[in-house]
Each structure stands twice: as C-alpha cells, then as structure tokens.
Amino acid sequence: MNLEELKSAWQAYDLKLQTSQLLTEKLVVGIIRERSRSRVAQIRRENRFFFVLLVFELVILGAVFTGNPFDFTYTMQFAPFAFLAIGILMALWTVFKSQMILETDMNSTTLGAFLKKVIREYEKNKKFESWFGIIMLVSGCFTVLSFLPKKLEKMSLQAALIDTAIPIGICLLIYFLAFKLGAFKNPKSAGFKEDLQELEALSAELEQLN
C-alpha cells in the first residue's frame, strides 16, 4: 500500500469515527431528552392534581370562615385558618409557576439550555418553599390553640392547657421531622440536575476525543 492509499484509508477511517461519535452523541442526547420529557409530563400531571386538591382545600376553608362549624366565639380563633389559607395560596402559586417553567417547548431550544432554565427557576423558589413550611407550622400549632376557649368552658385551666400542649407537641415533632426529611424542599430539580450532569459529561468526553 503506497502513501496515497494509506492516507485515503486513514481519512475514511477518521470519517467513520467522526460519524460514529456523532451518532453516539445524538443517541445519548435523544435518550436524555426523552427522559427529561417524561419527567416534565409526570410533574405536570402531579401539578394538575395538586392544583385541584389545593382549590378544594380553599373551598373547605371558605366554608369554615363563612359557616363557623366549630362554633368559634372570638375572631382570633379564625387566625390559624387564615395562616393556612395563606399557605395554600403560596402552594397554588408554586404549582402555577412550576407549570409555567415547564411550558417551554423542548424542541425549540437546546436540551442543555432547557435543563439550565428549569433548574435555575426551581432554585429561585427555595426560599419561598421555606416560608411555606414555616407558615404551615405556625398554622398547625395555632389551629390547636384555637380550640382552647371551648376547652376552658368544660375543663379547668390546667387540664385545658395540658390537653392543648400535647397535640401542639405532637405537631411540632411532626413538622420537625418533616423539615429534617426535606418535606418542604422541592425535589423536582434533582432529576433535571442529573440529566444536565450526564449531558455535560458527554460533551466533555466528546471534546477530549476531538
């Protein structure tokens, strides 16, 4: 084999290698894109379910405010339910924003740009989610306190306070465990971060090969 034949063979091999790398990149990117698309579809279904549930809870709270089913005597007894309503409205806003984030057409932008946008928007909501947890904690504890006046009508002060302190303690414990376990942290961005890391690792590997 002369030099020209060797050169032609090498060029053909190099072209095949580049084609193979390109096909591999397209295949892997396609897999990541479909996985992200499936993740988006699942989150949007969950968001629709939570939206309906939260609206239903607001209707129930509206019935509490207008119908007074617990026979509250003082206006302040409704305060915990007002906090709860604020928390539900915050949750509704979070669900709405999540839907808006995921409205982007994945075919109209690069996969990397889409993933970075979604992760960035979810990261912005972290402080908002922390406040949501605090408001729910306050509303939970004060909801127990709202029944104290009714208990005082039937019990002594000491018995009523003990009977109120026990469920408040349980409430604080539940919320403490919930905070520790990350119940008020949005885990939805974790999957998108994994997709982005895999995509960036693929890009870095292809750059090294080139």
Side-chain angles (χ1 to χ4, degrees):
M1 181 181 290
N2 58 37
L3 184 60
E4 287 299 322
E5 290 175 339
L6 183 63
K7 185 177 179 181
S8 298
W10 178 256
Q11 288 176 343
Y13 172 76
D14 186 54
L15 181 60
K16 287 182 180 179
L17 183 62
Q18 290 180 6
T19 303
S20 176
Q21 290 174 354
L22 182 61
L23 289 173
T24 301
E25 180 183 10
K26 286 184 176 180
L27 177 62
V28 175
V29 170
I31 292 172
I32 298 173
R33 183 181 292 274
E34 287 307 310
R35 192 167 60 203
S36 297
R37 199 188 304 275
S38 176
R39 205 186 307 279
V40 166
Q42 181 181 349
I43 292 174
R44 294 184 69 178
R45 285 194 298 271
E46 291 174 358
N47 285 343
R48 286 193 288 269
F49 169 77
F50 283 120
F51 184 85
V52 173
L53 179 63
L54 291 167
V55 169
F56 176 73
E57 290 177 355
L58 276 180
V59 171
I60 297 297
L61 282 175
V64 171
F65 287 122
T66 57
N68 191 16
F70 303 116
D71 296 324
F72 288 148
T73 308
Y74 308 103
T75 304
M76 283 299 297
Q77 288 177 279
F78 289 97
F81 295 92
F83 273 104
L84 185 58
I86 292 171
I88 292 173
L89 288 172
M90 290 177 68
L92 276 171
W93 174 244
T94 301
V95 169
F96 175 76
K97 282 193 69 176
S98 177
Q99 286 292 85
M100 291 300 101
I101 292 169
L102 301 176
E103 282 295 326
T104 304
D105 183 6
M106 292 180 66
N107 295 321
S108 65
T109 183
T110 63
L111 179 58
F114 171 80
L115 292 173
K116 287 177 181 177
K117 177 187 176 183
V118 171
I119 293 168
R120 184 171 61 251
E121 292 300 322
Y122 275 128
E123 290 296 314
K124 286 180 182 178
N125 285 338
K126 279 188 173 181
K127 185 178 291 186
F128 192 78
E129 289 159 7
S130 297
W131 275 108
F132 170 73
I134 292 170
I135 287 174
M136 296 307 289
L137 170 61
V138 171
S139 64
C141 292
F142 276 87
T143 298
V144 178
L145 281 174
S146 66
F147 294 97
L148 182 59
K150 296 293 291 185
K151 292 178 181 180
L152 288 172
E153 294 176 4
K154 303 174 182 178
M155 305 178 182
S156 66
L157 176 60
Q158 183 178 4
L161 289 175
I162 292 173
D163 195 61
T164 302
I166 292 173
I168 286 180
I170 294 172
C171 181
L172 288 172
L173 177 61
I174 290 172
Y175 274 92
F176 173 77
L177 293 174
F179 274 109
K180 282 292 184 180
L181 294 174
F184 296 102
K185 292 180 181 178
N186 195 330
K188 293 175 182 176
S189 64
F192 293 112
K193 287 180 179 178
E194 291 176 4
D195 291 344
L196 181 60
Q197 288 172 357
E198 190 173 340
L199 185 65
E200 290 177 340
L202 174 65
S203 299
E205 184 178 337
L206 290 173
E207 284 180 6
Q208 289 178 355
L209 291 174
N210 293 332

